[in-house]
Structure formats: C-alpha cells, structure tokens
Amino acid sequence: MRFLERGLKLLKYGWNKMAEEKSIEEREIASWKRKLIGSWVLTVPIMLIMYSGMVFGLSLVPMKWMPIVLLVLAFPVIFIFGWQTIKAGMRGLVTFYFNMDSLIALGTVIAYITGFLHFFGLTQDYSGVSSMIMSIFVTGKYIESRARGRASSEIRKLLELGAKKARVLRGKEEIEIPISDVKVGDVMIVKPGEKIPTDGVVVREESSVDESMVTGESLPVDKTKGGNVIGATVNQDGVLYIKATKVGKDTFLANIIKLVEEAQGTKVPIQKVADKITSVFVPIILMLAVLTFVNWMIFTQDVSRSIGVAIAVLVIACPCSLGLATPIALMVGSGMGAKRGILIRKGEAIQTMKEVKTIVFDKTGTITKGKPEVVDVYTVGKIKKDYLLETAASLEKLSEHPIARAIVSFVDGKKLKEVKKFKILRGRGLQGEIGKKKIVIGNQTLMKEQKILVKGIEAKIGEFEEDGKTTIIVSENGKVIGAIAVADAVKEDSLEAVKKLNDSGYKTVMITGDNERTALAIAKQVGIKYTIANVLPGDKAKKVEELQKSGMVAFVGDGINDAPALKQANVGIAMGTGTDIAIEAGDIVLAKGSLMGVVQAINLSRATFGKIKQNLFWVFAYNVVAIPLAVAGLLHPVIAEIAMAASSITVVGNANLLRRRKI
Amino acid sequence: MKKLKLTIEGMHCASCASNVEKSLKKVKGVKEVTVSVMTHKGFVEADDSTSEEEMKNAVSRAGFKVVEVRVE
C-alpha cells in the first residue's frame, strides 16, 4: 500500500513537473487538440446519421429515435469539449464583458435547445448542427493556436537562448554550477563550441565568438583580453576565461527579451479603429441577431428558418480576427527583427516610419566607431614606418590618453623600448628618452615650443587636417621623423547604408559637436548630404525640432547622450552598441551598432505595416460581406461557422507570410 | 509606483485581452495597463499600495487566470 502511495505521489509530481515545463502556448495547443479529437469523434457519427438519410435515403437510426440520439451525441460536444467556451461566453453575457465566446456559446446553445423544442413541434432540430458548429470552431482554434505558436517562435527561441550551466573557477578547481548561481566577479571557463553563460570580460586567452544570435552580426568577432563578451553567444575556437560582469536580469539578452516582450503590449495607431470596433462588435452582433430573428419571423412566420438565420448571424461574425490582425503581424515582425538585432520597442514606430522623410545621424559612435584609430602614417626620408611607430608607441604606452591608446593598439605585437625621463606635456604631447635619443611627440604647438622645425611635412599635416584627422608629430633629437594621423574612423558599412538611404529618397543629415571642417570631411566620406556642425550636446533635440518643420524625422544616435534628440524625433533609433542597451531612449534599438540596421529597420517597418494594413483590409472586407449574407439568410449556420474559422486562420497565416519577405 | 508583469492564461482572442484591460483598469491604484493576447502578458503600472490579489481577481472577473506575477 505504502509503495503504491509513494508511486502515485511520484507520478503526480512528474505530471505536474511536465505540465510546468510546457509553455502556455504548448498547453493551449494541446488542450485545443484534445477538444478537437473529442468533438469530432462524436460529430462524425452525427453527420453520418443526419446526412445518410438526406443524401442516400438510408436511415441508420430509426426516425423517431433520431432526435434523441442527436441530443445525446451532441451533449458532450457542447457541454464537455466546448465547456470552456460556453462558460466564458455565458459569463461574458452575464458580466457584460462580451467576447467572441459569447457569440459561439449563444449560437450553439440555442441550436442545441431546438432539439428539445423539436419534440413539441415548435421548430426544426438544429442540435446536430450545434455539434458541427462547435467542432468547426474548436478546429479553427486549434489551427489558429498552432499558427500563433509559429508566429511567436522567434521570440520563444530568444527566451531559450540563454545557457543553462556555467563552468566556474573556485579556487583552483573548475566546477559546473547552474547559471542562476553565477555571481558577478566569477571567472567562467568556456570551451570551443560552448555558449558563454553570461555577460563578462575576457581575462585570459583569446578566441572568436559568434554573436549572430544576439546582434545579427553574421561574422564571428575576435575577443582578446579585456574584450567584452555577451552571454548566450557561442565561443568558436579557443578556450576563454571570462569574468562575469552582469548576471540575471541585467544581462544583454535579458534586456533584449524584456524589450521585445514589452513591445507586444504597445499599440500601433492604426489598430485603434479595430480595437474600438472590437469592443462594441459583440453587443452589436447580438442585437443584429435578435433583429434578424424578429424580422424573419414577421416576414416569413417560419420559426425554424428564423432561428437558423439568427444562428448563422451569431457564428459568422469574427471579432477575433479583427482584434488579432495587428498584434499578430507586429509579433511576427518584431520576431524577425529580434533575430537580426533590430528591436522594435514601440509598435507606433512601424507606422510612423512610413511618413519619415529625413534621417538625422549623430556622428560620434553612430556613423563613426566612437573611438580614435590610427588611419595614416607618414615618415620623413629613409625612416621606416615600423621604427616610427615603435618609437611613438614606446612613449604612448605610458599615457592613458585615448589617442595614445589608439597608437599603442595599432602597434600591438611589436617590441616596445624602454623609456627614461618620461614626461606628459598636458594638452600638447609627450617626451622621453630611448637610449640616448630624446623623443618628443605631440601637436604643432609643442613642436613650436621646443623649436623643432616641421617644414618638411607641413603639406602632409595640412592634408591630414583637411580630412578631419588629428596629427601627431614624432621627433627624434630635435628633428621631425614623421607623423601619425589619428581619427575616429567611420564604421565599415556606414557608406553603404547612407547610399541606400539616399537612393531611397531620404534626406540624410549629420549632426555633431565637431567643427565644420572635420564634420564635412566625415560627411563627404559616407555620402551624407547635409551637415550641422558645432552643435552643443544639449541642442541636438532643438535641431531635430527645426528639421521636423519640413516633415517627419528619424534620429539615429547611440542612446547614451542622445536621449533628448531620440525622444524629440518622430522615430528614435538607438544604437545598442557593444554590450550596453540604452533601453529608455529609442523606439527602435539596434543591437548591432551598424547603420545597415537602420536600412533593415526601415524595410522591416514597411513590410510589417503593409501586412497589418492587408490583414485589416481582409478582415473588414470579410465582415462587411459575410454578415449581410448571413442576415439575408443565404448562409447555412455550418457554412457560416466554416467561413468564420477560415477568416481567423487566414489572418494568422497571412501574418506568418511576412517571414518570406527579405529584409 | 510599481511595474508588474502578469502572465495570464486562457486569453485566445483580442476581445479577451481588451476585457482584461478594462477589468484591470477598474482596480484602485492601477494607472496604466496593456495586455497582449500574443504573449499572454499584461503590463501594469500601479501605485505601490495596489494589492496584487485585487489585480488577480480583476483578471478572473474577466474570465482568465493569472499564473505568474513578476515585479519589474
């Protein structure tokens, strides 16, 4: 006995566990499936009984028993398999929270009751029909729930993306722990092919990492010591030692999921009309069904016919597809975006995007990489480039200035020399001694100060500055040996993205705090048509406002300092560059800091909005045509129900077609 | 002010979602509600004092069940 009890307990536990692990979608699909099978098992015999007589003149059941057999067979279909619908629908009728179940519940229950009224000779027997209506309804719901599951598959995949376990270093031991136990500061060991458990920074070894699942970037990214890595991305070819910097709900992935999920709750303006109609749709249909019944009674005095027509009116109306037309397309669209690192935060953005005429770009961090890089090296006479760079880097290594770091990382890997008597000359440059040589590195002011002649390279300096580059002059024993040009380099695909936008007829504008010359140089490089330079950080929003006078504006910025401008613009597109996502800033967030994302976001918005319009059109057209046909008595209740189920499946299916569009 | 995420089971059409929204909005202290039929999620902004129990009741009045409440 004891044994049996324990066994039962275990079974129950396992069952509950299984049920828990299934998502709500899966549970709903499974539940509709059960109802579908159950209701058809009974409805098929009902149809055989009803139509064998009608079509073949056979009577499987003696005529006088038929109504009772039908009532018995239809009962479980309506009141067991359809119970949830009946309950929700009736509750809606009582509490005035009408929903589409109210229509189906009323339609099927009235049809079922005719089976009893039939005994008194009051009306034709519609109880078999009630069973068919419920079965078709359940079937439609089953197909729809499957299609909806498909629509949300990308977002579900996102949820399942995270790693489950992590291997961490505790003392000298490697132990495997659940991801939820990883704390900030833990050092994780990630082998090739494994998922990086959580956001962190590489502390040892190097490797390349596939970040496509999170940022949409298709090429693996090289990660060396000090490099930031994102949780859920996949380590490719080397073992990485990573110190966890973010865990749980603070991670990049958790933020993406949050953005995408919240977006589903936002509304696309075009939906408002549909929502208004949805909220009054059911009561109107109820009234219409009553009016239809009364009118048919007055004009035909045929109770059976009048009831049949009224039932058809109840079941043909499809408030569901009306309300689903927009959210389902938004869901498919945002899922497609998420896969490519384009996160739609506000449904409104996809509609507004259509009206946008001007696209304004922030410069630093948006068009450019946001940190200086060595872009050109020039040497005097017989001096070798390597020698110049090594000499410069040996000194720069001792400085923390961004330009110094750019030079050091450019030279990375070469041998640096020992420097004595090192001194930082703030705002001008550096000096020190290598061996017996006195090295001075810095700008023109410093050279002038130290009376070092720059005559030979003046032309080159002019050329660098014309292009908006910063020039670092290197001298040895009082003689100039060369110059290094440093600039905030343009991102690789900025040029292509701007070209595409120009070609599509957008007015492209760059806004920056830089001086006119540097700004124009960058704008020219990427093909931007208009430049607004010398803008104070606080004034960007004001400039956007001015541009809005001549049409809707989208602002593209890196989110951290551009928040006011992103808010001011009609559509704010924030760059979620690297490992930080500026959540509150934009309407659309690009996880990969590339401008091609802007082009993709525009394409995606247009495609999604197009699909929404298409869906709404079909739904309106369906209801406008189908309801009058039902009122006119031209549709049998079963046909009406088939049409209704088909229309809501179509809406969901059509939204899934969005996936085929190239973005 | 607190932000809550409710996971709601049983909604299968948009009129369901709008019923849940309407019902939740009637709860004292609730400021902002959006319910998505697609993700089965309801996002609620409400005063700190608003009772979660009342929100759950509001959802069940509209005919559905709250299976999870998470404070954002």
Side-chain angles (χ1 to χ4, degrees):
Chain A
M1 244 353 245
R2 260 260 176 88
F3 177 73
L4 204 70
E5 240 171 61
R6 209 179 293 162
L8 265 174
K9 237 184 199 166
L10 206 70
L11 212 65
K12 208 174 159 191
Y13 174 79
W15 177 260
N16 287 339
K17 198 84 193 151
M18 245 161 60
E20 259 172 45
E21 273 165 17
K22 277 195 177 153
S23 67
I24 290 185
E25 280 89 7
E26 284 166 343
R27 278 213 298 272
E28 278 185 8
I29 293 171
S31 133
W32 286 118
K33 192 176 181 178
R34 277 196 303 275
K35 290 174 192 159
L36 174 141
I37 294 169
S39 56
W40 281 111
V41 163
L42 295 164
T43 304
V44 169
I46 286 175
M47 287 166 72
L48 284 175
I49 292 166
M50 280 169 63
Y51 295 113
S52 60
M54 248 184 253
V55 183
F56 307 108
L58 294 168
S59 50
L60 298 176
V61 179
M63 254 337 242
K64 66 174 177 183
W65 289 107
M66 196 158 116
I68 294 174
V69 171
L70 289 183
L71 278 173
V72 169
L73 287 176
F75 182 83
V77 177
I78 310 291
F79 296 102
I80 296 178
F81 303 117
W83 180 238
Q84 216 186 357
T85 309
I86 300 288
K87 196 175 74 175
M90 289 305 173
R91 190 212 297 261
L93 290 176
V94 177
T95 58
F96 289 97
Y97 281 120
F98 301 111
N99 51 42
M100 92 164 273
D101 289 339
S102 308
L103 299 176
I104 299 297
L106 213 56
T108 51
V109 169
I110 291 172
Y112 187 78
I113 290 171
T114 59
F116 293 104
L117 299 178
H118 173 70
F119 290 123
F120 307 105
L122 292 173
T123 165
Q124 187 189 327
D125 183 359
Y126 283 108
S127 60
V129 168
S130 80
S131 167
M132 284 161 68
I133 291 176
M134 186 55 87
S135 300
I136 295 164
F137 173 74
V138 167
T139 309
K141 280 286 153 193
Y142 169 67
I143 298 174
E144 191 193 305
S145 65
R146 297 249 332 229
R148 264 166 51 181
R150 209 160 50 238
S152 61
S153 64
E154 270 110 1
I155 292 174
R156 241 191 352 267
K157 269 184 214 146
L158 211 59
L159 292 170
E160 289 158 5
L161 206 57
K164 306 269 178 297
K165 281 180 175 165
R167 199 180 299 109
V168 297
L169 217 53
R170 286 282 154 86
K172 275 190 180 157
E173 236 180 317
E174 283 182 24
I175 55 165
E176 205 171 79
I177 58 172
I179 183 74
S180 54
D181 291 353
V182 177
K183 290 183 191 65
V184 170
D186 277 344
V187 173
M188 309 174 286
I189 301 141
V190 187
K191 297 191 171 147
E194 284 183 346
K195 256 184 205 168
I196 293 170
T198 191
D199 295 0
V201 55
V202 177
V203 287
R204 246 173 78 192
E205 303 295 335
E206 52 187 60
S207 177
S208 61
V209 173
D210 177 6
E211 296 188 336
S212 60
M213 57 295 287
V214 184
T215 63
E217 169 67 63
S218 53
L219 292 172
V221 185
D222 288 329
K223 300 287 179 186
T224 52
K225 197 178 158 187
N228 287 317
V229 291
I230 304 170
T233 57
V234 178
N235 183 17
Q236 298 284 294
D237 40 24
V239 178
L240 282 176
Y241 287 72
I242 297 159
K243 193 163 94 181
T245 52
K246 279 175 190 161
V247 295
K249 66 175 171 53
D250 301 325
T251 62
F252 192 72
L253 181 65
N255 276 326
I256 288 185
I257 291 169
K258 193 175 159 215
L259 288 188
V260 174
E261 245 179 23
E262 281 182 357
Q264 305 310 318
T266 65
K267 299 243 150 65
V268 185
I270 197 174
Q271 180 190 353
K272 278 187 189 136
V273 188
D275 276 353
K276 274 223 178 84
I277 296 173
T278 311
S279 64
V280 294
F281 195 81
V282 178
I284 286 176
I285 296 299
L286 289 174
M287 282 192 311
L288 192 63
V290 173
L291 283 178
T292 305
F293 177 75
V294 171
N295 265 304
W296 274 81
M297 278 302 285
I298 292 169
F299 289 107
T300 64
Q301 270 108 41
D302 182 345
V303 184
S304 301
R305 190 89 174 94
S306 304
I307 289 180
V309 174
I311 293 172
V313 172
L314 284 175
V315 301
I316 201 161
C318 193
C320 202
S321 49
L322 189 61
L324 217 51
T326 310
I328 189 93
L330 180 61
M331 176 132 214
V332 175
S334 55
M336 288 168 70
K339 212 169 131 188
R340 294 162 172 80
I342 302 158
L343 311 170
I344 298 169
R345 277 195 62 222
K346 302 230 168 79
E348 203 180 332
I350 62 166
Q351 183 167 352
T352 317
M353 194 62 108
K354 198 172 52 81
E355 313 289 335
V356 164
K357 300 271 180 293
T358 309
I359 301 177
V360 183
F361 298 90
D362 162 55
K363 195 204 96 189
T364 313
T366 303
I367 293 174
T368 66
K369 290 178 181 163
K371 56 177 186 199
E373 266 181 27
V374 172
V375 288
D376 216 333
V377 181
Y378 177 76
T379 54
V380 175
K382 285 182 188 155
I383 304 284
K384 289 230 167 65
K385 263 189 188 172
D386 279 355
Y387 178 78
L388 179 83
L389 285 167
E390 279 165 29
T391 307
S394 300
L395 269 81
E396 300 284 5
K397 175 106 183 138
L398 306 169
S399 163
E400 282 296 312
H401 195 275
I403 288 178
R405 262 186 261 157
I407 294 174
V408 173
S409 78
F410 186 73
V411 180
D412 192 37
K414 299 200 178 77
K415 273 186 194 155
L416 300 184
K417 291 160 217 161
E418 199 191 339
V419 179
K420 283 179 193 148
K421 294 191 183 163
F422 175 74
K423 215 166 130 192
I424 293 178
L425 308 162
R426 203 153 298 283
R428 291 158 294 165
L430 311 165
Q431 68 173 43
E433 281 177 18
I434 298 177
K436 286 203 170 130
K437 289 168 187 158
K438 190 186 175 204
I439 312 291
V440 177
I441 303 174
N443 57 17
Q444 287 201 71
T445 321
L446 179 65
M447 297 301 140
K448 218 175 269 170
E449 214 177 86
Q450 303 246 356
K451 300 206 167 61
I452 298 165
L453 294 175
V454 292
K455 241 184 187 159
I457 60 163
E458 264 172 334
K460 201 72 198 171
I461 294 172
E463 195 183 299
F464 283 161
E465 305 218 314
E466 192 64 32
D467 292 343
K469 298 166 187 165
T470 307
T471 316
I472 316 296
I473 303 160
V474 185
S475 76
E476 191 179 84
N477 288 336
K479 264 193 203 153
V480 170
I481 57 168
I484 300 169
V486 174
D488 182 5
V490 166
K491 286 180 193 165
E492 280 84 8
D493 44 15
S494 291
L495 176 67
E496 189 191 349
V498 172
K499 184 178 183 309
K500 285 210 164 124
L501 294 173
N502 282 335
D503 290 350
S504 316
Y506 290 102
K507 178 178 168 187
T508 50
V509 180
M510 184 177 83
I511 202 162
T512 175
D514 286 357
N515 62 52
E516 193 97 28
R517 195 160 74 163
T518 316
L520 282 172
I522 297 282
K524 207 175 123 199
Q525 238 185 87
V526 293
I528 281 186
K529 298 266 170 69
Y530 304 88
T531 309
I532 308 173
N534 294 317
V535 179
L536 295 171
D539 288 346
K540 280 184 188 170
K542 224 184 275 168
K543 295 284 172 198
V544 169
E545 203 181 337
E546 278 165 30
L547 287 164
Q548 277 171 323
K549 282 176 192 148
S550 56
M552 292 223 187
V553 172
F555 183 86
V556 190
D558 58 4
I560 300 148
N561 49 18
D562 295 330
L566 286 166
K567 283 245 152 69
Q568 173 64 39
N570 302 91
V571 180
I573 303 177
M575 295 281 185
T577 323
T579 51
D580 269 323
I581 282 199
I583 292 189
E584 294 305 326
D587 303 310
I588 294 175
V589 177
L590 305 176
K592 177 171 65 169
S594 150
L595 282 196
M596 279 310 282
V598 176
V599 178
Q600 286 181 312
I602 290 172
N603 290 342
L604 181 68
S605 300
R606 284 175 168 257
T608 309
F609 190 67
K611 203 43 104 179
I612 289 173
K613 274 208 302 204
Q614 218 176 63
N615 262 350
L616 286 174
F617 171 79
W618 283 115
V619 171
F620 276 114
Y622 165 82
N623 280 305
V624 165
V625 173
I627 294 173
L629 284 180
V631 171
L634 296 171
L635 297 173
H636 185 270
V638 172
I639 304 294
E641 178 56 31
I642 292 175
M644 196 284 275
S647 101
S648 82
I649 294 167
T650 310
V651 162
V652 182
N654 188 33
N656 274 322
L657 285 181
L658 183 57
R659 226 177 283 269
R660 299 212 182 144
R661 291 288 288 274
K662 257 213 156 123
I663 301 299
Chain B
M1 215 50 166
K2 61 180 174 182
K3 266 179 144 182
L4 299 167
K5 184 166 89 177
L6 314 177
T7 307
I8 302 162
E9 197 171 74
M11 293 189 293
H12 58 76
C13 78
S15 52
C16 307
S18 74
N19 283 341
V20 174
E21 266 178 32
K22 263 189 261 171
S23 185
L24 275 170
K25 268 182 195 150
K26 284 186 192 149
V27 175
K28 202 173 150 256
V30 170
K31 296 275 181 278
E32 198 70 51
V33 186
T34 51
V35 177
S36 157
V37 60
M38 293 304 305
T39 50
H40 312 278
K41 297 276 166 19
F43 294 94
V44 182
E45 267 181 55
D47 291 337
D48 289 322
S49 57
T50 315
S51 119
E52 284 177 23
E53 215 42 52
E54 266 180 52
M55 288 187 220
K56 282 185 186 170
N57 289 338
V59 173
S60 65
R61 265 201 299 282
F64 309 97
K65 202 175 123 201
V66 175
V67 289
E68 195 194 353
V69 180
R70 197 181 285 179
V71 181
E72 294 279 292

